[in-house]
Amino acid sequence: MAKPEKFSAIYQRACERKGGPDAVEMLLPDTLSAQQIKEYSDAELLSVMSKRVFQSGFVWRVVEHKWPAYEQAFFDFEPFKVLMLSPEQIQQRATDATLIRHQKKTQAIVDNAYMIQQISQQHGSFAEFIAQWPCDDITGLWQVLKKQGARLGGNTGPYFLRAVGKDTFLLSQDVQAYLKAHKLVDYGFTSKSGLQQTQDVFNHWQQQTGLTLAEISRIISLSVGDNF
């Protein structure tokens, strides 16, 4: 594993490619404070999570267009109501033409409602659980979502966290390409060792710059790849 370059050099490349610091600043993602994240209801989080599951590998605007019908079909995503659906009712929704016909992703709504309910019982609310999770171990939260939830592996879990304002980096193609090219990760990005190495590199840059993980991630992606 090589030594990370100074983040100021990465930032400079991003500025050169995008037209200066002001242009880069406009492209940086926002994050929420822990207190702001705690204000989410379990239903709101299940809705966002479910939407990200359906958007994975699918046309995002189609999912967005159909989402009001999902809110109605799944009782505004109140977890305890979703968990009252019978297998027959779940099947009916998985084949409903007004929704998206996908059995496994439809079932994931129910499975993730169960995960949220279980975690809420332990921590007061799912939002509390997410808000209190330390960002210097954000890949650990990715793993919880992947193991305890349904269809939240890969970038789906991280995209969900980003959508609700939790500070996280994303392993986009550009970010992965950078880390590989600079020999900062010796293992696969899906392995525990690879994720830990990636977390360590991002923690290093965060301590160096004071930027959020989300900002660091976006700046890296702006500094490389076909994104002029």
Side-chain angles (χ1 to χ4, degrees), residues 43 47-48 51 66-77 99:
S47 178
V48 176
K51 185 185 290 187
K66 288 180 175 287
W67 211 247
Y70 272 94
E71 296 280 358
Q72 183 175 2
F74 287 91
F75 315 109
D76 293 323
F77 288 96
L99 304 176

Side-chain angles (χ1 to χ4, degrees), residues 115-134:
M115 173 189 68
I116 287 174
Q117 185 183 73
Q118 292 298 302
I119 290 176
S120 293
Q121 290 175 353
Q122 297 172 14
H123 297 274
S125 74
F126 190 54
E128 179 81 21
F129 173 73
I130 291 175
Q132 295 301 327
W133 193 281

Side-chain angles (χ1 to χ4, degrees), residues 58-126:
F58 204 76
V59 180
W60 283 38
R61 66 177 178 274
V62 173
V63 178
E64 194 72 41
H65 176 72
K66 288 180 175 287
W67 211 247
Y70 272 94
E71 296 280 358
Q72 183 175 2
F74 287 91
F75 315 109
D76 293 323
F77 288 96
E78 291 289 349
F80 75 94
K81 292 183 181 179
V82 171
L83 292 172
M84 292 177 67
L85 288 169
S86 67
E88 292 76 20
Q89 290 173 316
I90 296 168
Q91 179 62 33
Q92 185 274 327
R93 285 159 174 75
T95 56
D96 189 336
T98 65
L99 304 176
I100 295 171
R101 296 172 179 174
H102 198 297
Q103 179 69 43
K104 292 182 179 179
K105 289 189 176 185
T106 302
Q107 181 62 45
I109 295 175
V110 181
D111 294 340
N112 288 329
Y114 179 76
M115 173 189 68
I116 287 174
Q117 185 183 73
Q118 292 298 302
I119 290 176
S120 293
Q121 290 175 353
Q122 297 172 14
H123 297 274
S125 74
F126 190 54

Side-chain angles (χ1 to χ4, degrees), residues 216-227:
I216 293 169
S217 178
R218 181 65 59 82
I219 291 169
I220 292 173
S221 69
L222 296 175
S223 73
V224 297
D226 299 326
N227 58 24

Side-chain angles (χ1 to χ4, degrees), residues 21 23 28 39 46-47 55 62 79 94 104 142 148 178 210-211 217:
L28 297 183
E39 295 177 4
L46 179 59
S47 178
Q55 287 176 329
V62 173
K104 292 182 179 179
W142 295 4
Q148 297 189 27
Y178 173 88
L211 297 170
S217 178

Side-chain angles (χ1 to χ4, degrees), residues 146-173:
K146 178 181 178 180
K147 292 178 180 179
Q148 297 189 27
R151 304 186 75 86
L152 294 174
N155 268 330
T156 305
Y159 271 117
F160 156 68
L161 294 173
R162 177 69 67 84
V164 299
K166 180 68 174 179
D167 187 21
T168 182
F169 56 86
L170 297 176
L171 286 176
S172 65
Q173 290 184 348

